Amino acid sequence: MALVKAESAVGFQRLPVLRQLGLMIGLAASVALGVAVVLWSQTPSYTLLYGNLSASDAGQVIDALHKSNIAFKVDEASGAILVPGSKLHEARMELAKEGLPQGNSVGFELLEKEQGFGTSQFVEKARYQRALEGELARTIGALRNVKAARVHLAIPKRSVFLRDRAAPTASVMVDLYSGRTLNEEQIAGIVHLVSSSVPYLEPAGVTIVDQRGRLLSNGSSDPAVAPGSTQFAYNRKLEQSYSDRIRQLLEPIVGHGRVRASVNASLDFTVTERTQETYNPDLPALRSEQISEDETASSATSTSTVSEAGAGAASGVPGALSNQPPETGGVAEGGQGSGEGKNLRNRSKRSVRNYELDKTITHTRLASGAIRRLAIAVLVDDKQEIGDDGEPVTKPWSDEDLARFTRLVKEAVGFDARRGDTLNVINTSFAPPPEVEPLPEPSLLEQPWVWDAAKQAGGVIGLLLLVFGVLKPVLRSLAEKGAEPAPGGMVPAGAAAGAAQAGVSEDQLSLSGASPQQAQLEGPKGGYQQHLETAQSVVKEDPKRVAQVVKNWVGEDG
């Protein structure tokens, strides 16, 4: 190898200057290309972590990646953050632990910023409203199925006049993860969350839509006036509840997945209000009583003289009662009418009684959604048994078993024949389920480690091609040029010194030329006779060249 390098160096020195410069540039480019290929093969493939981030979120994400010692790079064109493919999930979990990215929403930290001296009250209210919207968006975005959320509040200015007051409203747009939805409880939770956070905001004033523009909230909190969509959802929910009851009751007996139940419920959503006033005559109660009594007293005497008549004059209120004769009277003995009259009394009593009967006033509001009729259909698969040969065998259920299933279903759903409910239980053989094909395994090219290994293999192959395809041919060509004899005819000092070191005698001579036509006289390694024959052959081939060599030797020796 050292000999090849020496010969290459000699050959490189014999090239023209321009060719030497071009060869040096080519070798340097080849070495640089090899280094670049090796570095490229060792560089991992980067994958998009997050794109379209705000400046604040991008800075926080980069700081978190620095703390986690995760390599990353930023795309200069789009500003996206890229991480190695093998570290993608780890980086996202680390960022999720830090609560990043937070999004473009701002909260009450907006109020902590310094405000100018001339900030008006309108600007302060607008900042507070924006901060409140940001806090509500952050809270809604913390839900598991919600990827992001935006909240818009319409808060009118409060008026001192009640007739001019307007209620505030709110609009919420939720961006859901792919394949996820919000159920009714979650929607109601968002509605009440927003309405409870804004003063004087009613739940009916909150509207929720998703990223596809579908209305999720019905805008009404009164179940009595719920729209048809809510009634339909309630009807389907009730039917599903009855179907689940039937399956949970029969599957332990028949087998898992061997029962199909369908319930059709006819509901009455009519709202009825009724007021009733009843009286109970058996429970009278004295409400008021008024009693009036009159009593009149008078005295009557028998007189014989007129003077006594004045003393015994009639008294009392003039009228028919006063003019009546006394009840008793008599003539005194001796013909004189003398005697003492008796006192007369008149009494009258009047009574007025007011009675109150027991009265009941009942105001009834009948609940909507009452069940009018149920139509139930149950399909039961054949039972499976183990045959004599040990293989599973299907057999139909007996009539007693079907009757037993029918009674169980009636008890489960509250069957009422007077209401018009119907039930039909049928036993049949289910078709075998289709074979589920297994999920295809990811191809080898989709594995992240394959690309890294391919890059490393490509780097090694490129380096080998560079060495054996470029450098080795160049060095070989230079070595061949170094092995050619020098153009001058003779190898003077170097060859003579090499011959002396090798133990060649003074009689061993060498002649060389740069071209094939130039003869070369080299001292052979044989004896004197062989040396002499060699010299004679050289003299015969090119006597002029030999003469010139001898002349040069004579001149050097002299």
Side-chain angles (χ1 to χ4, degrees), residues 483-529:
E484 294 178 357
M490 177 183 62
V491 180
Q501 293 178 359
V504 182
S505 62
E506 296 180 355
D507 296 336
Q508 294 176 348
L509 306 177
S510 64
L511 298 175
S512 63
S515 62
Q517 293 79 12
Q518 296 176 346
Q520 180 179 1
L521 179 60
E522 182 179 358
K525 297 181 181 179
Y528 176 79
Q529 186 64 29

Side-chain angles (χ1 to χ4, degrees), residues 184-396:
E184 296 181 0
E185 295 180 356
Q186 292 173 332
I187 295 174
I190 295 176
V191 169
H192 288 281
L193 172 67
V194 176
S195 62
S196 302
S197 303
V198 181
Y200 307 105
L201 177 59
E202 298 294 334
V206 180
T207 303
I208 303 177
V209 296
D210 60 0
Q211 72 271 22
R212 298 181 180 179
R214 296 179 300 181
L215 181 64
L216 302 181
S217 61
N218 52 26
S220 176
S221 60
D222 187 2
V225 294
S229 59
T230 305
Q231 296 176 1
F232 180 79
Y234 174 75
N235 196 350
R236 291 295 173 264
K237 186 176 181 180
L238 181 64
E239 293 174 351
Q240 186 66 32
S241 176
Y242 282 149
S243 300
D244 294 341
R245 288 184 187 179
I246 297 172
R247 285 195 299 269
Q248 293 175 2
L249 190 63
L250 296 182
E251 279 185 351
I253 304 174
V254 181
H256 180 71
R258 308 178 69 86
V259 177
R260 296 292 184 270
S262 176
V263 179
N264 184 13
S266 178
L267 305 181
D268 184 10
F269 291 99
T270 304
V271 179
T272 304
E273 294 186 2
R274 182 175 58 192
T275 302
Q276 184 178 5
E277 183 176 355
T278 58
Y279 295 91
N280 189 1
D282 298 333
L283 297 175
L286 183 61
R287 180 179 181 182
S288 62
E289 183 179 7
Q290 182 179 1
I291 301 175
S292 176
E293 294 184 1
D294 294 334
E295 183 177 357
T296 303
S298 61
S299 60
T301 56
S302 298
T303 59
S304 58
T305 59
V306 177
S307 59
E308 294 178 357
S315 62
V317 179
L321 185 60
S322 303
N323 296 332
Q324 291 180 358
E327 296 179 359
T328 57
V331 180
E333 296 180 357
Q336 295 181 354
S338 63
E340 185 176 355
K342 296 182 181 180
N343 294 329
L344 301 177
R345 295 179 180 276
N346 296 324
R347 294 181 179 180
S348 62
K349 185 177 181 181
R350 294 187 300 274
S351 177
V352 178
R353 292 185 178 88
N354 295 323
Y355 291 92
E356 192 73 32
L357 297 178
D358 185 25
K359 180 176 64 173
T360 302
I361 300 177
T362 304
H363 180 78
T364 305
R365 182 176 181 177
L366 301 179
S368 60
I371 300 176
R372 290 180 178 176
R373 181 176 176 272
L374 292 178
I376 308 167
V378 180
L379 194 62
V380 182
D381 192 9
D382 292 340
K383 63 180 179 179
Q384 289 186 353
E385 296 180 353
I386 303 299
D388 298 337
D389 54 355
E391 296 294 333
V393 179
T394 59
K395 294 182 179 180

Side-chain angles (χ1 to χ4, degrees), residues 464-509:
L464 293 177
L465 291 176
L466 183 63
V467 172
F468 293 99
V470 179
L471 296 180
K472 186 176 180 180
V474 171
L475 294 177
R476 180 180 297 174
S477 176
L478 293 177
E480 292 177 354
K481 290 181 179 297
E484 294 178 357
M490 177 183 62
V491 180
Q501 293 178 359
V504 182
S505 62
E506 296 180 355
D507 296 336
Q508 294 176 348
L509 306 177

Side-chain angles (χ1 to χ4, degrees), residues 8-231:
S8 300
V10 174
F12 180 75
Q13 293 177 359
R14 292 179 179 178
L15 294 176
V17 178
L18 293 179
R19 292 190 63 182
Q20 291 181 3
L21 183 61
L23 184 59
M24 293 177 62
I25 295 175
L27 291 176
S30 301
V31 173
L33 180 61
V35 174
V37 169
V38 172
L39 294 178
W40 171 79
S41 63
Q42 297 298 327
T43 302
S45 58
Y46 282 82
T47 307
L48 177 64
L49 177 63
Y50 289 113
N52 299 326
L53 293 177
S54 61
S56 60
D57 284 344
Q60 294 177 1
V61 168
I62 291 175
D63 292 340
L65 293 177
H66 272 302
K67 294 178 182 178
S68 302
N69 296 325
I70 298 176
F72 69 92
K73 65 179 182 180
V74 180
D75 189 2
E76 297 180 357
S78 61
I81 300 177
L82 307 175
V83 296
S86 59
K87 298 287 185 179
L88 177 62
H89 299 289
E90 180 182 353
R92 288 186 175 178
M93 287 189 290
E94 290 291 337
L95 295 177
K97 184 174 65 176
E98 299 292 337
L100 297 174
Q102 296 181 353
N104 297 326
S105 61
V106 293
F108 285 121
E109 66 271 8
L110 182 64
L111 303 179
E112 298 177 358
K113 297 182 180 180
E114 295 184 0
Q115 301 180 5
F117 180 75
T119 303
S120 62
Q121 186 178 6
F122 173 79
V123 176
E124 291 180 354
K125 290 183 177 180
R127 285 185 176 179
Y128 173 77
Q129 181 172 341
R130 182 184 177 189
L132 183 59
E133 292 174 352
E135 291 292 336
L136 289 174
R138 287 180 181 178
T139 305
I140 297 173
L143 296 178
R144 181 173 300 176
N145 296 341
V146 179
K147 182 179 180 181
R150 294 199 64 182
V151 179
H152 302 279
L153 300 178
I155 304 178
K157 185 178 180 181
R158 301 294 295 176
S159 176
V160 295
F161 300 100
L162 295 178
R163 67 182 64 181
D164 296 336
R165 289 185 179 179
T169 56
S171 300
V172 181
M173 198 283 290
V174 292
D175 186 6
L176 304 178
Y177 286 103
S178 178
R180 298 186 182 181
T181 58
L182 295 177
N183 53 32
E184 296 181 0
E185 295 180 356
Q186 292 173 332
I187 295 174
I190 295 176
V191 169
H192 288 281
L193 172 67
V194 176
S195 62
S196 302
S197 303
V198 181
Y200 307 105
L201 177 59
E202 298 294 334
V206 180
T207 303
I208 303 177
V209 296
D210 60 0
Q211 72 271 22
R212 298 181 180 179
R214 296 179 300 181
L215 181 64
L216 302 181
S217 61
N218 52 26
S220 176
S221 60
D222 187 2
V225 294
S229 59
T230 305
Q231 296 176 1

